[in-house]
Structure formats: C-alpha cells, structure tokens
Amino acid sequence: MNGLVLVSRAADFAAQRHAGIRRKGRAKEPYINHLAEVAALLADATEGADAPLIAAGWLHDTVEDTPTSREELEREFNADVATLVAECTDDKSLAKDERKRLQIVQAPKKSARARMLKIADKTSNVRSLLTSPPDEWERERLIDYLDWAEKVVAGCRGLNAKLEKAFDEAVAAGRRSL
Ligand code: ZN
C-alpha cells in the first residue's frame, strides 16, 4: 500500500474507532486530537520517511482502548503496523500500577520505532496535562506523572534527537508550571 494511502486510511480508521471519545482533561478535547499530535510528531521527526510508523501513530491506542484486535490491524493495514501497535499496547488485565511499572522495565527492550512512538505518545500526554489537566489532578499527581514519563522515556533515548527535544521541552514546561 502506498504510504499516503496507508497513513490516510489509518487516520480514518482511528477516527471511526475513537469516535465520540474525549480526553479526560478540562478542555475535553476529542481523543483524535491526541492521535493526530502523535502522528504529526512522528512525521516531523522522521521527515515523512516512515509511513508505517506514522500510521501506527494514528492507530496506537486502538487495541488498548477500542474493540480492535491486532489481527484486524494486520488485515486492514499490514504486519509491520500491527506489530508496532502491539508493542505500544498495555495488557489491560493487569493492575494500573503494574502496567506503569512494566512500561519502564520493557521500554528499552522495544524496537527502535516503537520506542520513538512511545516518546511521541508521552510528549502529547505531558503537553495535554499542562494545557488541560483533569479536574481531580493535583500538583502531586502531575509531579508523579512527569517523573514516571521521564523514566519510560529514559529507556527510549538515543534514536531521534528531535523527538527527545520535544519531550524534554514538554517536561521542562511542566516542571516550571509547578
Ligand atoms: Zn496514546
């Protein structure tokens, strides 16, 4: 499949699967904004050279958060895209604390492109917590989130300076706001 077709189809598929879902923050942004941001960060960082990675950016939360299977992604797109998404999908049968611990432990073992996707995901999450924190979030939880995101990203570094810079700037802005 041609790269532009792949990315456009991925955006369309993600928009349909996450239709009507909003982020937890006060601004209640449509969830698709998060996916568009992650895909754009990856497109920018790779100068558009890796269409399957950008497609996976659009699709990275479909298996975790919507009724979508890895097999379906493989059928609709290809094995490369499906594997990238699977690498960035938490096991939801585990408790939240355990999932968060595993993200730190497993990040360095992921493929290079999955690690780039994880940095882009965390960058978008940190940015949205700053512009639109969930109502019940207090300072402590923001500090905890920034500390945790930095630990996950520590295991993803050394691949793409542009992505790392975007993440570091988001975290620095977060710490300044505390
Ligand atoms: Zn995400």
Side-chain angles (χ1 to χ4, degrees):
M1 204 186 299
N2 161 285
L4 276 174
V5 175
L6 183 73
V7 170
S8 300
R9 280 202 199 170
D12 180 41
F13 186 94
Q16 291 183 36
R17 289 295 152 103
H18 296 277
I21 308 298
R22 290 177 180 274
R23 300 207 83 175
K24 289 194 196 94
R26 266 177 226 133
K28 298 269 181 287
E29 271 185 299
Y31 202 79
I32 196 77
N33 289 24
H34 165 61
L35 307 170
E37 185 173 28
V38 170
L41 281 163
L42 291 168
D44 205 29
T46 59
E47 295 181 350
D50 192 342
L53 178 60
I54 300 164
W58 278 108
L59 297 164
H60 77 274
D61 283 326
T62 52
V63 173
E64 196 169 304
D65 295 337
T66 79
T68 303
S69 67
R70 179 191 177 142
E71 293 69 34
E72 189 178 10
L73 294 182
E74 195 164 334
R75 228 173 24 245
E76 292 282 330
F77 302 97
N78 58 47
D80 184 23
V81 170
T83 302
L84 280 166
V85 172
E87 278 196 276
C88 297
T89 299
D90 279 358
D91 179 351
K92 277 213 161 167
S93 69
L94 301 173
K96 194 168 180 208
D97 283 350
E98 177 62 1
R99 297 204 315 255
K100 291 187 83 168
R101 190 188 70 80
L102 283 175
Q103 281 205 33
I104 298 170
V105 178
Q106 291 174 346
K109 301 172 196 156
K110 305 275 182 197
S111 70
R113 291 151 80 222
R115 280 185 281 156
M116 286 167 59
L117 205 164
K118 288 193 83 71
I119 299 178
D121 188 29
K122 295 289 176 279
T123 302
S124 170
N125 288 341
V126 169
R127 284 181 182 169
S128 94
L129 284 174
L130 299 182
T131 54
S132 173
D135 284 331
E136 74 277 16
W137 274 55
E138 327 98 39
R139 201 171 165 272
E140 283 299 298
R141 285 183 72 185
L142 180 57
I143 295 171
D144 284 352
Y145 187 88
L146 294 176
D147 289 347
W148 172 73
E150 284 202 300
K151 283 183 195 151
V152 176
V153 168
C156 302
R157 288 186 187 270
L159 298 162
N160 187 293
K162 212 167 176 179
L163 277 176
E164 289 186 29
K165 185 164 176 272
F167 174 78
D168 291 338
E169 283 173 2
V171 170
R175 301 224 184 265
R176 275 197 306 275
S177 78
L178 292 166

